[in-house]
Amino acid sequence: MKRGVRVLRSRKWNLVAVLALLGFAVLCGALGIFEDPGAADHDTGLVIWGAGALLCLAGAVRVSMVGVIPTATGLKVRELLSTTHLPWEWLSHADVRANHQRMTSGPTLYNPTIHYVVPPQRDRLTVTVTALGAYRRGVAQAWANDLNAMIREHKG
């Protein structure tokens, strides 16, 4: 990877999510330790609350890594529960797609979407980068522009 390459990451929302998960980890740990130490099932509660705290810590670590990471071989799209590796030769372009919240009638979210073709099938596929989603189309478009610049730079 070239020195000085920008990792695309929504720092504000990643930080908010990390802090929230760390707060829940502290809460779970405190509940496990201080919940009625004289109770007969205190050890069981300690294990359950401790597992909850560890799960929150693991989530905080994973959230801190969410984003799009350029590597020498391609783009690594890291979401909360999955990671997709896309070689530079497969990549076509990025654009913005609206995600209308029909079930909750909430605000529309705009997500950068990476278009790529997997050889030899030549199927046109997409990856929606929800980690870079935004409520304003212009913000999501700026992320898509950064992705397009990376693709152009590496495809020559």
Side-chain angles (χ1 to χ4, degrees), residues 50-154:
L54 287 175
L55 188 61
C56 288
L57 284 175
V61 169
R62 182 61 185 190
V63 163
S64 71
M65 296 187 298
V66 165
V68 178
I69 300 103
T71 66
T73 58
L75 284 180
K76 189 182 297 184
V77 180
R78 204 175 266 154
E79 296 285 349
L80 185 60
L81 299 175
S82 67
T83 299
T84 305
H85 301 276
L86 300 169
W88 292 114
E89 354 9 285
W90 293 7
L91 300 177
S92 170
H93 68 284
D95 62 11
V96 175
R97 297 211 175 153
N99 179 7
H100 303 288
Q101 306 296 314
R102 290 182 182 89
M103 296 294 285
T104 61
S105 69
T108 299
L109 296 173
Y110 298 96
N111 295 307
T113 303
I114 301 171
H115 298 259
Y116 64 101
V117 178
V118 178
Q121 297 92 355
R122 306 302 295 170
D123 293 334
R124 294 180 185 275
L125 303 170
T126 60
V127 171
T128 300
V129 188
T130 58
L132 299 178
Y135 290 114
R136 294 187 322 240
R137 184 175 191 89
V139 173
Q141 187 61 55
W143 289 121
N145 293 345
D146 289 345
L147 288 166
N148 282 322
M150 285 181 194
I151 292 169
R152 279 192 306 276
E153 177 185 335
H154 285 87

